[in-house]
Amino acid sequence: TQLLEQSPQFLSIQEGENLTVYCNSSSVFSSLQWYRQEPGEGPVLLVTVVTGGEVKKLKRLTFQFGDARKDSSLHITAAQPGDTGLYLCAGDNFGNEKLTFGTGTRLTIIP
Amino acid sequence: DVKVTQSSRYLVKRTGEKVFLECVQDMDHENMFWYRQDPGLGLRLIYFSYDVKMKEKGDIPEGYSVSREKKERFSLILESASTNQTSMYLCASTMGDRDHQPQHFGDGTRLSIL
């Protein structure tokens, strides 16, 4: 069974600070997706990274896929209270329709 | 926009009861999924369906079954509910036959087994 470990599991920081969340595996994935889940709702896709070494930016969020396609990171600049939520990474297993989800990082931004 | 609707937001049942969780999607997606979500464990796949009447076991199928009689509807069945099945259950759907498809999720059913 493939595993995706996320770190940290919990993170609580002040508004305006920067942070990085990590998603690591010993397995290779064809792509990596990042989702955010807010209380009472299902996860919503933020971004998909496909190519090893790829960097994608979504406003203050920067996503990177590792060169070997085994890991990914999410960096948030100048965090806002609206960034609060559960962040999940998910690996695509070379088109077999199923995703392997990470363990999740619960982020709280304190105003 | 894709809409995935789960029939109940909260459900309380007793040990030994047969429990049905329903999920409907409105975008003619081929693939549908059932997950359970527990703190620190992320989302774990229970069952997956890639077509009507077709199903495939996920990582934790024990104690569960599924039914997909129509393309838009995917049901999760707890044959005899137990307290260790208390959890958040999430349904999702995707189009088939395309790479890197995002999963579209419902808002979840929080199930408590007493």
Side-chain angles (χ1 to χ4, degrees), chain A residues 31 47-56 63-67 72-73:
Chain A
S31 67
V47 77
T48 301
V49 284
V50 178
T51 307
E54 181 178 3
V55 177
K56 277 193 175 177
F63 303 85
Q64 184 163 9
F65 201 12
D67 292 341
S72 182
S73 63

Side-chain angles (χ1 to χ4, degrees), chain B residues 9-106:
Chain B
R9 294 297 297 270
Y10 300 94
L11 208 53
V12 180
K13 296 291 183 181
R14 295 205 173 273
T15 303
E17 281 192 67
K18 192 169 186 176
V19 181
F20 294 86
L21 302 184
E22 306 287 347
C23 175
V24 177
Q25 50 93 4
D26 66 356
M27 284 300 291
D28 202 37
H29 281 174
E30 284 79 10
N31 303 321
M32 296 188 75
F33 307 80
W34 274 108
Y35 295 91
R36 64 177 283 175
Q37 182 175 28
D38 301 288
L41 298 178
L43 273 64
R44 291 180 292 166
L45 182 64
I46 304 171
Y47 266 99
F48 158 56
S49 170
Y50 51 91
D51 202 350
V52 174
K53 297 191 187 295
M54 306 304 288
K55 63 185 178 184
E56 191 173 307
K57 290 180 180 179
D59 298 319
I60 52 165
E62 297 79 18
Y64 303 94
S65 63
V66 290
S67 172
R68 192 159 180 210
E69 297 296 319
K70 294 184 178 182
K71 192 174 185 180
E72 68 270 19
R73 185 180 296 270
F74 192 32
S75 303
L76 179 69
I77 303 153
L78 285 65
E79 297 290 344
S80 178
S82 63
T83 54
N84 63 11
Q85 292 178 309
T86 291
S87 186
M88 169 69 85
Y89 289 87
L90 288 164
C91 174
S93 71
T94 64
M95 281 189 281
D97 299 326
R98 296 189 188 186
D99 292 337
H100 318 309
Q101 285 298 301
Q103 297 203 353
H104 299 270
F105 285 87

